Amino acid sequence: MPKESRKVYADAASTTGVSDAVLKAMQPFFQTEYGNPSSAHTLGQQAKAAVSQAREMIAAQLRCSEDELYFTSGGTESDCWAIIGSALATTKRHIIVSIIEHPAVLNCCKMLEQFGYRLSYAGVNADGQISVEDIEKNICDDTFLVIAMMANNETGVIQPIDEISAVSHKYGVSLFSDCVQAIGSVSINLSLQKIDLLSISGHKICGPKGTGLLYVNERCKIAPIIYGGGQERGLRSGTENVAGIVGLAVAIQQAVCDLDKNTVRSLRAVLHDCISKIPYTTINGDCSPTLPGIISACFDYIEGSDLVRYLNEYGIFASSSSACSTNSGRPSHVLLAMGIPYSRARGALRLSINGNNTLQDIKYICKVLPLAVQRLRSQNPEYIRLFR
Ligand code: PLP
């Protein structure tokens, strides 16, 4: 097939470009309104007001109090702070964590294990949904935290967070939910939902990289992990990233205002239709509710990394699983946890789209992908032996 000059970005779960509105809102804070919010003079106080306004905007979207929001440097910091900060604020030593969490969560928990904390893992079913039973059966007097993401970054599977919340709170255990992929696609109302800690990242929703948020419910105790000048009510020191915080607030507002994501959902349906027609292919988590923009599939007899490279040559940017685990060379821990055999999980591809993608983009993927799969399979000796 002749290569085209077309470029299709289908990796929105890895990162996104900032929207025009986000860029416009951030711009003044780089060169004109560059004050430090801790300074007493006018320029500083203007920056402080911008941070307060951003906090108010986000609190209104998430239906929580402004005092429950803390700005961070991104999803990874928010995740690590939620876990370590909770551990430092209690004498209890047991955490229950779902097996499909992002490495920011899993590796942070493993670090605590080295310091004597005990971990129990909650598994998932074949459709990628966290087992609520696993959580309940592992809760004990020493458990201080249940960790369950709101939607998975590799499969897009939306998790039964309200059920998980009910079980955790039945035993008086706090719930931390990584909401990095879910925000803007799953409805969040913190005045109704009982979630104690929740993490958000800016760059997945057309906000700036290096920005994030941790929501800490007023009932919940958390210790700081970053010490310094006492910013963020003494819990997260460091001069505020004013431009980033302003951009994050606009990104969250835009993402939440377009919660239905109907256009993205209909584009995903086109991809789904195309992929389901490719033989020896499994769509991961296909029986579960999924985010509108993520579709994950395993193509037998090929390596996901080869497929990603092939698509790249045709200007299609995608991932084999998550951007963070792509370089490990190992199949995704999420797919293995779903019981997908190792050999099949090696053939994983994640396409993730957002409102910037067009039907033309999707049609182009649907033209290239089946041919790419066919071409790569035709080079696989096992496939040749079985099917030629
Ligand atoms: N949690 C999830 C579910 C993610 O998908 C990611 C990023 O891929 C992160 C956390 C980390 O966020 P950040 O890149 O802002 O550190």
Side-chain angles (χ1 to χ4, degrees), residues 10 31 82 84 89 104 111 141 144 181 202 238 246 268 279 297 337 375:
Q31 290 187 311
I84 302 169
M111 180 280 293
D141 287 346
F144 64 92
Q181 297 289 343
V246 168
R268 184 188 186 278
R375 167 61 74 91

Side-chain angles (χ1 to χ4, degrees), residues 13-14 73-77 79 102 104 149 151 153 178 180-181 201-204 211 324:
S14 294
S73 66
T76 299
E77 183 191 327
D79 286 352
H102 187 271
M149 66 201 324
N153 49 305
D178 174 327
V180 166
Q181 297 289 343
S201 169
H203 71 107
K204 312 287 183 178
T211 63
C324 302

Side-chain angles (χ1 to χ4, degrees), residues 113-387:
E113 201 173 25
Q114 288 171 11
F115 286 88
Y117 288 83
R118 211 160 54 75
L119 300 183
S120 299
Y121 291 97
V124 289
N125 63 18
D127 296 316
Q129 288 204 301
I130 298 169
S131 161
V132 184
E133 296 78 57
D134 271 7
I135 292 176
E136 183 155 21
K137 81 170 184 244
N138 280 297
I139 291 182
C140 66
D141 287 346
D142 205 28
T143 312
F144 64 92
L145 195 62
V146 164
I147 307 175
M149 66 201 324
M150 203 166 281
N152 183 261
N153 49 305
E154 297 188 25
T155 59
V157 170
I158 297 172
Q159 301 301 328
I161 213 71
D162 291 336
E163 277 178 69
I164 294 171
S165 166
V167 151
S168 310
H169 291 113
K170 184 165 128 191
Y171 298 93
V173 178
S174 294
L175 170 64
F176 162 47
S177 188
D178 174 327
C179 194
V180 166
Q181 297 289 343
I183 179 81
S185 296
V186 176
S187 166
I188 296 168
N189 183 338
L190 293 168
S191 72
L192 298 177
Q193 288 168 298
K194 264 186 108 185
I195 297 173
D196 303 280
L197 299 140
L198 180 139
S199 58
I200 288 174
S201 169
H203 71 107
K204 312 287 183 178
I205 49 169
C206 301
K209 291 177 182 55
T211 63
L213 190 72
L214 184 66
Y215 158 83
V216 184
N217 185 281
E218 61 185 5
R219 297 181 305 271
C220 187
K221 285 202 175 68
I222 189 162
I225 59 169
I226 294 181
Y227 291 85
Q231 288 88 345
E232 295 294 278
R233 278 108 58 224
L235 284 180
R236 202 286 188 178
S237 288
T239 301
E240 296 86 343
N241 172 4
V242 181
I245 288 168
V246 168
L248 174 68
V250 175
I252 292 177
Q253 190 168 47
Q254 287 192 316
V256 174
C257 285
D258 175 26
L259 194 63
D260 288 338
K261 304 278 182 301
N262 286 332
T263 314
V264 181
R265 207 172 281 283
S266 63
L267 295 178
R268 184 188 186 278
V270 178
L271 285 174
H272 186 282
D273 189 47
C274 157
I275 294 171
S276 57
K277 288 187 184 129
I278 300 176
Y280 311 110
T281 297
T282 322
I283 297 180
N284 303 313
D286 206 20
C287 295
S288 291
T290 53
L291 295 175
I294 296 185
I295 187 159
S296 157
C298 290
F299 300 90
D300 292 354
Y301 309 109
I302 56 177
E303 294 284 327
S305 53
D306 291 341
L307 184 56
V308 167
R309 263 194 299 276
Y310 193 102
L311 293 174
N312 184 56
E313 284 180 26
Y314 284 86
I316 298 171
F317 304 140
S319 290
S320 52
S321 50
S322 78
C324 302
S325 53
T326 302
N327 298 327
S328 71
R330 277 177 47 78
S332 138
H333 69 288
V334 176
L335 301 182
L336 295 179
M338 289 164 68
I340 294 172
Y342 198 92
S343 57
R344 175 167 291 167
R346 292 189 70 94
L349 177 75
R350 178 187 69 181
L351 296 167
S352 50
I353 55 174
N354 67 12
N356 293 330
N357 291 105
T358 62
L359 183 58
Q360 280 67 36
D361 288 347
I362 304 306
K363 282 185 173 163
Y364 180 61
I365 297 175
C366 293
K367 188 167 98 177
V368 176
L369 181 60
L371 296 172
V373 172
Q374 197 183 20
R375 167 61 74 91
L376 290 171
R377 281 180 178 160
S378 72
Q379 295 164 1
N380 177 333
E382 195 195 350
Y383 184 82
I384 296 168
R385 187 173 58 77
L386 288 170
F387 299 105

